[in-house]
Amino acid sequence: MSLIRSIFSHSSGRIGGTIVLVYLVIAVLGLVGVTPHDPLMQFRVDRLHAPSMTYWMGTDLLGRDVASRLMIGVAQSFIVAFSSVAIAAVIGILLGLTAAWFGGWWDGVVMRFMDVLLAFPAILLALLIIAIVGPGTWTSVMAIAIVYTPIFTRVVRGPALSIKTRDFVDAARTFHSRRSYILTRHLMLNLVAPLTVQITLALAWALLTEAGLSFLGLGTQPPKASLGLMLSDSRNLMEMAPWLLVFPAFAIMIGILGFNLLGDALRDILDPRTRKVTA
């Protein structure tokens, strides 16, 4: 609770936290089916209907309600973003901790492999993985997870190398504490702050990457809704029906902004080296 109070007492945290909270509510409502209309229902007589009281964000070329599809799209994007970042965080933490703890050849193998992955631009590496496996929602999850695993590995390994030389770790070794106990209770607990910030920032980039993959037709496949897929469908209708482009693009932009602002606030709150007086 103290962390939540700190976030909402921070100028960036108030805005970012509110945006993320609103998006989470929209995503949950979309998942449980609480939408203005059936997102797959085609109201053919109301195709390309402008925003109105009946269709809050208008309808698309097939007569589907944009607001309902936007809610499902936010939910879909959040599922991909949270799933991929969770997988990347777990794998990255395990690799980073073991590389720092064991060192030697294992550290060299792990970090050189991470360097190889980091040598590729993120979107190109994701495209390569999808080209091999095939498009789809869970393929996007795995591709994004592989792309962001090296980042978490480096975030964990660097501080872990310093922490493992501290006196309290030496004391734990002296008392013959189990290796798993030292790794989880001493190293991991001291990495919570940087990991929390990195997870928040990674969610913003994962949201953007998922939208990019879906825009290219390599992520979520029709008839499912996705923010990137909605943008792709609006390309040829921008002049005739600009709302098809504006609403999903705005949703992506605000979502990324919210996670970035929340990440900046968490960095200021959790990292004493950058902590500052906040509004």
Side-chain angles (χ1 to χ4, degrees), residues 44-67:
R44 295 186 178 276
V45 295
D46 291 327
R47 291 185 300 172
L48 297 180
H49 195 288
S52 64
M53 294 300 295
T54 304
Y55 307 108
W56 301 343
M57 296 182 182
T59 60
D60 62 11
L61 184 62
L62 299 178
R64 297 172 299 187
D65 181 52
V66 174

Side-chain angles (χ1 to χ4, degrees), residues 220-264:
T220 302
Q221 299 296 300
K224 293 182 179 179
S226 171
L227 297 178
L229 194 58
M230 293 175 70
L231 278 179
S232 179
D233 292 340
S234 70
R235 284 179 298 177
N236 299 323
L237 300 168
M238 289 186 291
E239 294 183 1
M240 185 184 304
W243 59 87
L244 296 179
L245 171 70
V246 171
F247 289 118
F250 188 75
I252 294 171
M253 181 186 69
I254 296 301
I256 294 172
L257 176 65
F259 280 118
N260 279 325
L261 289 176
L262 183 58
D264 289 341

Side-chain angles (χ1 to χ4, degrees), residues 9 27 37 48 67 70 79 81 121 130-131 184 196 205 219 245 264 277:
S9 65
H37 300 277
L48 297 180
L70 189 73
I79 289 173
I130 293 176
T184 55
T196 302
W205 287 105
L245 171 70
D264 289 341
V277 177

Side-chain angles (χ1 to χ4, degrees), residues 55-92:
Y55 307 108
W56 301 343
M57 296 182 182
T59 60
D60 62 11
L61 184 62
L62 299 178
R64 297 172 299 187
D65 181 52
V66 174
S68 301
R69 292 183 62 77
L70 189 73
M71 294 177 67
I72 300 297
V74 169
Q76 182 72 15
S77 297
F78 268 47
I79 289 173
V80 173
F82 277 93
S83 300
S84 59
V85 171
I87 294 172
V90 170
I91 297 175

Side-chain angles (χ1 to χ4, degrees), residues 184-201:
T184 55
R185 295 298 299 273
H186 293 293
L187 270 68
M188 267 299 299
L189 286 180
N190 284 279
L191 294 171
V192 170
L195 279 173
T196 302
V197 176
Q198 185 58 50
I199 287 172
T200 308
L201 297 176

